[in-house]
Structure formats: C-alpha cells, structure tokens
Amino acid sequence: GQQLNQSPQSMFIQEGEDVSMNCTSSSIFNTWLWYKQDPGEGPVLLIALYKAGELTSNGRLTAQFGITRKDSFLNISASIPSDVGIYFCAGHDSTDKLIFGTGTRLQVFP
Amino acid sequence: EAGVVQSPRYKIIEKKQPVAFWCNPISGHNTLYWYRQNLGQGPELLIRYENEEAVDDSQLPKDRFSAERLKGVDSTLKIQPAELGDSAVYLCASSLDQAEELFFGSGTQLSVL
C-alpha cells in the first residue's frame, strides 16, 4: 500500500539536543498528523495540521504543514529520554484515507 | 474511561491455521479501523467501519481475511488460513467519526511459523 516517505529513518542523539524529521509525499494531502509509537503500543497522536502553511506547537514539539501540501516537518526541542520511540507522519489523501509514513526511530542518550 | 481494547496481545500459530483478533472500541465511537503494521513500517489500513457497515475494505485480502462488526460495537478480524507473510502487528483504532482523531489499541502481535 501507499506510504509516505520519512527521513531520517533513525536518529541517535544526546539528551538536550534538538531533533528535526520530515515527511514527503508525491501527492497532495488534506491533513498532516504526527504520531509517536512506544514499543508494544499503538501510535498516539501528537500534533494535527489542517491548513497549508500551518505551524503548530505542542510543548516542545513544533510541526508545520508544507505550503505545497506535499510535505511536513516535526521538530522536538531539548530532547529528553522519554522522547525515545518511533515517530510517524500521517496524512489524509484525496479519498480521506489515512496514510502513514515509514517512521523515524529516535534514540536519546543521557 | 478505557481506551481501545484488543485481545490477544500475542498469538503464535502454524501456517494454514486460522486465527482471530478481537477489538472493543472506545464507547460511543462510530468509526472502527483495522490496520496491519509490518516490522519497521507504518500501519496500513485493512478495513474501516462506519457503525456496522464496512465502508472501505479495498486493502483487505478477501481470499483469506474477513472482518465483522456486529451491532456496530466490537469487531473481529479473522485470517483463514494464515500464511507466513501474515506475521505482523494488527492494530485496531476507533474515532468518533471518520474526520476525528484516531485512538489506537495496543495491537495483537501475530507470528506465523
């Protein structure tokens, strides 16, 4: 099935560092969502974006809906150990189906 | 309030055996989804229900997979017979309606030997 392209595939950073990851699509999406998945759990919604160009923050997380509607980025500032997990972008396509990205695995070292 | 509940958490079966997964969505959520997540990948939609009606099953391999949502509440996903390539995590999610936030269960990890 169709999946969005996320990069990087994995990141290994030190506690306190900022993190940036992005997601691209070959087609236009109507919404962009960012999820976090912990081991053995289902994804949990972090941020939802509904308009092209929209910039939204949730605590230390900031995400933007690309102006072309084909991309989005997620930034995490001042990372902490509990930020460890897999981050997925997702978007609703023209048929309103929610498509997920391939994931970015984040590891934070103290 | 309880979240989306799935059972079992883990299932190990031999190929060609049948298997079933159960999902209890959040109370009042009309939309229910089954996703499959292969190792190292994001979830992929198998089927979406609006109440008891399957409104998107285009990604469901209908030769061996079946699903039902009786009375528009709990749902069951079945595979018969299972193949080696069916090993994955099967996630159930629910939302108030299709445009609202999805809440995921913890998933059932299936291993087919």
Side-chain angles (χ1 to χ4, degrees):
Chain A
Q2 178 187 0
Q3 290 209 330
L4 303 171
N5 295 315
Q6 273 186 256
S7 64
Q9 191 172 2
S10 59
M11 303 182 74
F12 300 86
I13 63 170
Q14 286 236 288
E15 183 177 358
E17 289 184 1
D18 296 344
V19 171
S20 185
M21 59 191 79
N22 76 307
C23 191
T24 60
S25 168
S26 57
S27 55
I28 289 173
F29 278 70
N30 297 322
T31 62
W32 283 94
L33 308 167
W34 286 92
Y35 287 82
K36 180 181 181 231
Q37 187 173 28
D38 292 326
E41 299 298 328
V44 174
L45 182 65
L46 299 173
I47 288 182
L49 303 156
Y50 300 103
K51 294 191 304 184
E54 180 180 354
L55 184 71
T56 296
S57 293
N58 179 8
R60 293 179 297 106
L61 278 59
T62 302
Q64 184 157 30
F65 191 143
I67 199 73
T68 65
R69 296 169 64 190
K70 293 185 179 180
D71 63 331
S72 176
F73 72 74
L74 174 70
N75 288 341
I76 305 173
S77 62
S79 59
I80 58 177
S82 62
D83 290 334
V84 167
I86 304 177
Y87 291 79
F88 290 100
C89 64
H92 286 100
D93 66 10
S94 58
T95 66
D96 265 346
K97 182 178 295 184
L98 187 62
I99 309 295
F100 279 82
T102 48
T104 294
R105 185 180 297 271
L106 178 64
Q107 185 66 256
V108 179
F109 295 102
Chain B
E1 181 181 346
V4 177
V5 179
Q6 289 188 247
S7 68
R9 285 299 307 268
Y10 306 93
K11 191 72 177 179
I12 301 174
I13 61 171
E14 292 190 341
K15 63 181 180 182
K16 300 185 182 179
Q17 294 298 306
V19 64
F21 314 123
W22 175 81
C23 174
N24 179 232
I26 293 173
S27 177
H29 280 195
N30 297 320
T31 309
L32 183 146
Y33 312 75
W34 283 102
Y35 281 84
R36 176 169 60 190
Q37 186 174 23
N38 292 314
L39 188 64
Q41 299 292 318
E44 294 181 298
L45 180 68
L46 291 174
I47 189 168
R48 173 169 65 91
Y49 282 92
E50 296 288 345
N51 298 303
E52 64 272 12
E53 182 182 359
V55 295
D56 184 355
D57 63 355
S58 56
Q59 301 288 90
L60 191 72
K62 298 181 184 63
D63 56 336
R64 296 183 300 106
F65 285 64
S66 64
E68 60 182 11
R69 190 183 184 197
L70 299 176
K71 300 180 182 179
V73 182
D74 294 1
S75 179
T76 304
L77 178 68
K78 297 178 181 177
I79 309 175
Q80 182 171 10
E83 297 179 352
L84 296 176
D86 296 331
S87 295
V89 174
Y90 291 83
L91 291 162
C92 179
S94 70
S95 62
L96 276 172
D97 62 42
Q98 194 234 323
E100 299 293 328
E101 176 183 353
L102 271 67
F103 293 85
F104 283 86
S106 299
T108 295
Q109 184 168 335
L110 174 68
S111 296
V112 182
L113 307 178

